[in-house]
Amino acid sequence: MAENKESLLGGFKAFLMRGNVIDLAVAVVIGAAFTNIVNSVVKGIINPFVGAFGTKNLESYASCLKDPCRVVDGEMQGIQIQWGLVLSAVLSFLITAAVVYFLMVLPMAKILAKRAAQEKEKESVAETMEITELEVLKEIRDHLVAQRGPLTGTGAGPSSNGSHSGTTSGTHPTS
């Protein structure tokens, strides 16, 4: 029983120490704080601005589905649809989504695109260097063959396409 408890606590400790659990906890805490800020902006600025065209409290906008909509003895008579609450929640969502997109998603996408372009550029430069290196080696080979002069025997020297067969038979005049 004691071993089972120790393994259970050890497993729980390992779970808590995983990096993604800590990151998730931080995200939840910051998200909750951010939600409070957005809700305050909606209630303190947006709702009064929209309320300038009617009631100052946006959340008090409602329609009556079944008459009469009035409070009698602390109880609502009729069926009331509180569309102001829904509108306020939609505004909160839109503001949150806009802030997340413009302050987090868009800059991160630009950073990742810039990194990808830099990686692609590095790969292109490396590929160009490999090709250039090969071309330089071919030119050096052709130049050395041309310096030796024509070979005697069955070897024909450089071929007409500028490449060298690599096999020579015969002797060089200076040897």
Side-chain angles (χ1 to χ4, degrees):
M1 181 75 174
E3 290 177 16
N4 189 20
K5 234 183 202 184
E6 287 179 20
S7 66
L8 185 66
L9 289 176
F12 183 66
K13 181 180 176 185
F15 170 74
L16 289 179
M17 293 313 218
R18 287 188 355 205
N20 55 356
V21 173
I22 303 298
D23 292 342
L24 183 61
V26 169
V28 167
V29 170
I30 290 183
F34 183 70
T35 300
N36 287 335
I37 292 171
V38 170
N39 286 339
S40 297
V41 168
V42 169
K43 287 180 181 178
I45 296 172
I46 304 295
N47 287 356
F49 180 74
V50 173
F53 303 105
T55 311
K56 292 195 181 204
N57 184 4
L58 182 64
E59 293 178 5
S60 68
Y61 283 105
S63 297
C64 194
L65 189 61
K66 184 176 177 187
D67 287 330
C69 280
R70 59 180 172 223
V71 179
V72 177
D73 295 331
E75 197 173 305
M76 176 62 73
Q77 300 292 316
I79 300 173
Q80 186 179 31
I81 298 177
Q82 297 178 335
W83 57 270
L85 287 172
V86 175
L87 182 60
S88 181
V90 168
L91 288 172
S92 293
F93 171 77
L94 290 176
I95 291 171
T96 303
V99 168
V100 166
Y101 179 75
F102 290 112
L103 294 182
M104 295 176 195
V105 173
L106 194 60
M108 185 58 76
K110 286 183 180 182
I111 289 170
L112 292 177
K114 204 178 277 188
R115 280 188 185 168
Q118 287 174 347
E119 289 297 321
K120 188 174 181 181
E121 186 178 312
K122 284 180 184 178
E123 289 174 8
S124 174
V125 167
E127 185 177 307
T128 303
M129 287 176 61
E130 288 175 10
I131 292 171
T132 305
E133 211 172 277
L134 184 60
E135 292 297 322
V136 168
L137 289 172
K138 285 180 181 179
E139 287 178 17
I140 291 171
R141 180 202 61 206
D142 292 344
H143 184 66
L144 289 173
V145 167
Q147 272 184 341
R148 287 184 189 170
L151 297 174
T152 60
T154 59
S159 65
S160 61
N161 67 0
S163 66
H164 183 61
S165 65
T167 59
T168 59
S169 59
T171 59
H172 192 273
T174 57
S175 55

